[in-house]
């Protein structure tokens, strides 16, 4: 199963990142992403977008408009630095299910922290997402006990809902995101004033990152309980 290092920066590698990390992607050529089921989607819509436009209507190219700083020291992100927050809905529907019913048919149970607690979490089995979350859990389970409080009482995984304040589907709707315990977390929308004060230990963050999950604590629009399976944001090493 895949492990990851820093995000690829070279333009030429980005289509390759989709191809390498999502088994449903068959090939990427001539600005088109072809899927193993015979369908295809455009890669680049050709539009020049500012930050808000890219956030509202990202194409697949916009996934890579900011390089995710995997394994970097944790520090307050720069203004509007939100790598991984740009999500092409057509791609996610193709990968994980085109409707609530289809997505729910793809959910499987992940055995979360069986050594320490043992609870079942629903996650999407497509594209290795659930298998990678199981690997995260297996590593978290081996951490010293002082880390347990952050990951034991998780806030949730699958929930079919829009992103708060928008009509776009949350990544939780696809069963590819997990929120840790919200009492150790900050979320920009809940804060009256901007404040970035992270409590999530770097050891926890790096375990998720090693298995292809981006962290909302690396975003200017911070959401430090939030981890999301986005392997195309990493460079694969194994
Ligand atoms: Zn979340």
């Amino acid at each position: 199963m895949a492990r990851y290092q820093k995000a690829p920066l070279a333009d030429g590698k980005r289509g390759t990142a989709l191809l390498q990390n999502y088994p449903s992607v068959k090939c990427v050529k001539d600005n088109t992403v072809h899927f193993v089921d015979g369908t295809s989607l455009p890669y680049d819509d050709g539009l020049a977008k500012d930050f808000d436009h890219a956030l509202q209507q990202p194409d697949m190219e916009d996934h890579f408009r900011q390089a995710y700083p995997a394994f970097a020291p944790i520090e307050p992100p720069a203004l509007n630095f939100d790598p991984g927050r740009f999500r092409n809905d057509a791609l996610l529907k193709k990968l994980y299910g085109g409707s609530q019913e289809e997505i729910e048919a793809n959910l499987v149970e992940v055995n979360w922290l069986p050594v320490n607690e043992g609870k079942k979490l629903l996650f999407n089995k497509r594209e290795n997402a659930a298998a990678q979350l199981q690997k995260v859990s297996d590593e978290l389970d081996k951490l010293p006990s002082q880390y347990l409080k952050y990951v034991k009482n998780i806030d949730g995984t699958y929930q079919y809902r829009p992103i708060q304040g928008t009509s776009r589907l949350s990544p939780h709707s696809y069963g590819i995101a997990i929120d840790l315990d919200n009492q150790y977390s900050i979320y920009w929308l809940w804060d009256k004033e901007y404040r970035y004060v992270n409590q999530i230990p770097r050891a926890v963050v790096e375990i998720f990152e090693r298995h292809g999950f981006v962290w909302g604590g690396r975003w200017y629009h911070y959401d430090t309980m939030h981890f999301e399976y986005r392997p195309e944001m990493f460079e694969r090493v194994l």
Side-chain angles (χ1 to χ4, degrees):
M1 203 64 74
R3 288 168 79 88
Y4 298 93
Q5 57 186 26
K6 278 179 80 78
L9 291 170
D11 275 358
K13 282 181 145 179
R14 291 171 176 177
T16 309
L18 291 172
L19 184 59
Q20 284 184 333
N21 290 299
Y22 292 122
S24 293
V25 176
K26 185 181 172 195
C27 66
V28 183
K29 61 180 178 188
D30 301 332
N31 195 36
T32 304
V33 178
H34 298 270
F35 298 91
V36 292
D37 68 359
T39 60
S40 63
L41 289 169
Y43 176 74
D44 176 5
D45 59 18
L47 300 174
K49 298 169 195 166
D50 63 15
F51 177 80
D52 288 328
H53 186 187
L55 206 58
Q56 298 303 322
Q57 293 179 293
D59 59 12
M60 284 185 226
E61 185 199 25
D62 288 317
H63 282 225
F64 305 105
R65 62 188 278 138
Q66 295 172 336
Y68 182 77
F71 312 112
I74 296 170
E75 51 192 25
L79 177 67
N80 287 348
F81 184 69
D82 286 348
R85 216 167 146 245
F86 305 90
R87 309 173 187 93
N88 180 256
D89 215 44
L91 174 65
L92 295 183
K93 283 188 161 72
K94 176 58 70 181
L95 297 177
Y96 296 110
S99 65
Q100 184 170 0
E101 291 70 27
E102 276 184 35
I103 291 164
E104 289 181 356
N106 289 327
L107 298 177
V108 294
E109 286 184 339
V110 169
N111 197 2
W112 188 248
L113 307 181
V115 175
N116 281 289
E117 168 129 325
K119 100 170 56 159
K120 309 282 188 193
L121 302 179
L122 289 176
F123 223 66
N124 201 304
K125 70 181 177 188
R126 299 282 308 272
E127 316 305 326
N128 300 320
Q132 292 294 95
L133 184 65
Q134 187 65 62
K135 286 176 153 276
V136 169
S137 168
D138 294 347
E139 283 197 42
L140 293 175
D141 236 355
K142 294 178 194 145
L143 284 177
S145 58
Q146 74 261 29
Y147 293 99
L148 195 62
K149 66 177 182 179
Y150 302 100
V151 296
K152 193 171 145 188
N153 300 310
I154 69 124
D155 208 56
T157 54
Y158 171 71
Q159 196 185 10
Y160 198 84
R161 60 171 160 85
I163 297 170
Q164 199 172 332
T166 80
S167 58
R168 287 174 289 121
L169 279 179
S170 154
H172 290 277
S173 306
Y174 296 100
I176 59 166
I178 176 170
D179 290 334
L180 304 184
D181 193 330
N182 66 28
Q183 71 168 306
Y184 303 108
S185 305
I186 48 170
Y187 179 39
W188 69 280
L189 257 185
W190 293 343
D191 287 342
K192 287 191 178 69
E193 286 177 23
Y194 186 89
R195 56 160 195 142
Y196 182 93
V197 186
N198 174 54
Q199 293 186 66
I200 307 298
R202 190 172 171 186
V204 170
V205 172
E206 293 195 350
I207 286 173
F208 276 96
E209 289 178 339
R210 272 205 292 282
H211 298 291
F213 287 74
V214 298
W215 176 44
R218 297 207 186 275
W219 299 341
Y220 177 76
H221 295 89
Y222 49 82
D223 184 358
T224 65
M225 75 179 117
H226 180 90
F227 290 87
E228 175 177 339
Y229 186 61
R230 297 288 301 284
E232 81 277 20
M233 303 301 291
F234 297 83
E235 184 156 355
R236 190 176 177 134
V237 287
L238 288 175

